[in-house]
Amino acid sequence: MLELTMAAVSGTQEGATAGMLMADAPSAPGAVLRVGRDPAVCRLVTPEDWLFVSRAHLEFVCGPDGGWQVTWLRGSQPEPSSEVRLTMAGEDRPLAYGGTVPLPRGGSGEIVVQDRTGPRSISVGFHHEV
């Protein structure tokens, strides 16, 4: 099972966890969890006017072996209006626009989507329960 938690943070709420959202999915091949502004396709939804987040921004997919990966989906613009950083196993690194990274089996971490134009971000924590 993959468990996700998401908190939206603006400049005045730095470090706040109010309004935390949660979603999970079994580790079954083909299972998908998405994060973005479109509630029709995303399980975790950001504020609609936060345009630095795409309609479908992050996609978590379970592979045939029960392992999960995350992809920063390319949006309609050639250049993104956000930056995405991934922290897992104590390592902090950028996630490339359109890039995919496997998640550690039985591990946890955090993905931060930061607005390039202001002090807003979303923080998505993940935990892969084996």
Side-chain angles (χ1 to χ4, degrees):
M1 174 169 290
L2 183 69
E3 299 171 341
L4 301 179
T5 57
M6 183 184 80
V9 180
S10 64
T12 58
Q13 299 173 327
E14 196 74 31
T17 56
M20 187 170 284
L21 302 172
M22 300 176 77
D24 60 31
S27 292
V32 176
L33 287 169
R34 289 185 194 92
V35 177
R37 291 183 295 123
D38 187 347
V41 296
C42 298
R43 291 274 306 276
L44 293 176
V45 181
T46 64
E48 191 173 312
D49 63 341
W50 284 27
L51 300 180
F52 71 96
V53 177
S54 300
R55 295 182 63 73
H57 200 89
L58 299 174
E59 182 175 73
F60 296 82
V61 177
C62 186
D65 64 349
W68 287 85
Q69 64 182 24
V70 62
T71 300
W72 179 4
L73 299 171
R74 292 187 70 86
S76 59
Q77 302 299 317
E79 289 297 318
S81 55
S82 62
E83 296 176 358
V84 177
R85 299 203 58 78
L86 175 65
T87 303
M88 52 187 189
E91 182 183 331
D92 183 41
R93 62 181 179 171
L95 179 57
Y97 188 42
T100 299
V101 174
L103 301 179
R105 187 178 295 273
S108 60
E110 179 181 42
I111 300 169
V112 175
V113 179
Q114 178 70 50
D115 185 351
R116 286 185 171 171
T117 64
R120 298 181 299 181
S121 65
I122 60 167
S123 175
V124 179
F126 63 87
H127 175 74
H128 182 204
E129 187 176 298
V130 185

